[in-house]
Amino acid sequence: MTGYPSDFTSVKAHLGTAGSVNEALHLIQSVYRVDFTTYHLASTVVGNFDAPFVRTTYPDAWVSTYLLKGYVTIDPVAREGFLRQLPFDWRELEFASETLTFLEDAMRHGVGRFGFSIPISDKAGRRAILSFNSTTSAEDWNVLLDLHRSEWVDLAYLVHQMAVFELHGESDPIPALSPRERECLYWSGLGKDCKDIALILGLSHHTTRSYLKSARTKLGCGTVSAAATLALKLRLISI
């Protein structure tokens, strides 16, 4: 703990000076005395690449094993984390029979039995998870979780902001579309015209056109069809 802040206000201040998400995770891990922390952004678009952004303090051997064996496809924390909206204790999860080998392998690599994950969803529609893992006893884990649960939720969004900045700097390519703008683009992407969309959503033609125009402007596109295509690429909508 030497050299690290001991209260939540100081933790947040120190995160602001962290040079990377990786550095921030190590800071959080040390302050809260958990064994491992992981941040996982489901997907990001940088240039022509569309790939997840993951930073973790897990041992390199476990990270390599996880990737080589394709464990992300059966990892219950990853699966549930991108489906749920609220933070969850890993003990809430139901483990299917095919995950038993994965769990045994994880523990052989030093991964603890206890964990807590915070799903993150931002205004641009990005989904991410911040997870804490511990090898401590159940009793100590309960105490740790009771003490710091709300702080960890706040930290999750700070780490997410850091990740977005690390990826894009000041030029975040993903604008914050409103739910209605997303809906209108979704139906446009399915080939519906303004009249159809207005009827489907129960809106006036004028309101529908306004949503499509504002979405197109935010995305920097000359046409609605181009905006729908870009929104699909950026995962703002899915068809």
Side-chain angles (χ1 to χ4, degrees), residues 187-205:
W187 288 110
S188 177
L190 289 177
K192 304 298 183 181
D193 61 20
C194 187
K195 184 184 297 186
D196 293 331
I197 297 171
L199 182 62
I200 292 169
L201 298 180
L203 303 172
S204 69
H205 293 177

Side-chain angles (χ1 to χ4, degrees), residues 9 26 67 106 132 142 153 166 183:
T9 301
H26 279 89
L67 294 173
F132 299 79
N142 289 335
V153 172
E166 187 170 320
E183 286 179 318

Side-chain angles (χ1 to χ4, degrees), residues 1 4-12 15 24-37 130 132-134 136 140-141 144-145 147-155:
M1 291 285 290
Y4 286 108
S6 57
D7 63 272
F8 184 52
T9 301
S10 294
V11 172
K12 291 195 293 184
L15 279 185
L25 293 180
H26 279 89
L27 168 64
I28 293 170
Q29 176 179 307
S30 297
V31 170
Y32 290 103
R33 299 181 182 179
V34 292
D35 290 281
F36 306 109
T37 54
L130 180 68
F132 299 79
N133 177 256
S134 178
T136 190
D140 287 344
W141 175 246
L144 194 65
L145 197 54
L147 283 173
H148 303 302
R149 180 193 302 261
S150 61
E151 295 179 6
W152 290 352
V153 172
D154 286 344
L155 289 176

Side-chain angles (χ1 to χ4, degrees), residues 152-165:
W152 290 352
V153 172
D154 286 344
L155 289 176
Y157 283 88
L158 291 176
V159 171
H160 179 64
Q161 291 171 9
M162 292 181 66
V164 172
F165 185 81

Side-chain angles (χ1 to χ4, degrees), residues 41 43-46 49-51 122-127 160 164 167-177 182 215 218-220 230-237:
L41 176 59
S43 63
T44 183
V45 179
V46 180
F49 297 97
D50 183 4
D122 66 17
K123 292 182 179 180
R126 283 173 289 230
R127 295 298 305 270
H160 179 64
V164 172
L167 283 163
H168 305 297
E170 299 289 351
S171 303
D172 187 348
I174 304 181
L177 299 183
R182 290 171 188 267
K218 287 180 180 179
L219 288 163
L230 181 58
L232 184 61
K233 178 183 177 183
L234 295 175
R235 298 183 183 270
L236 291 169
I237 60 173

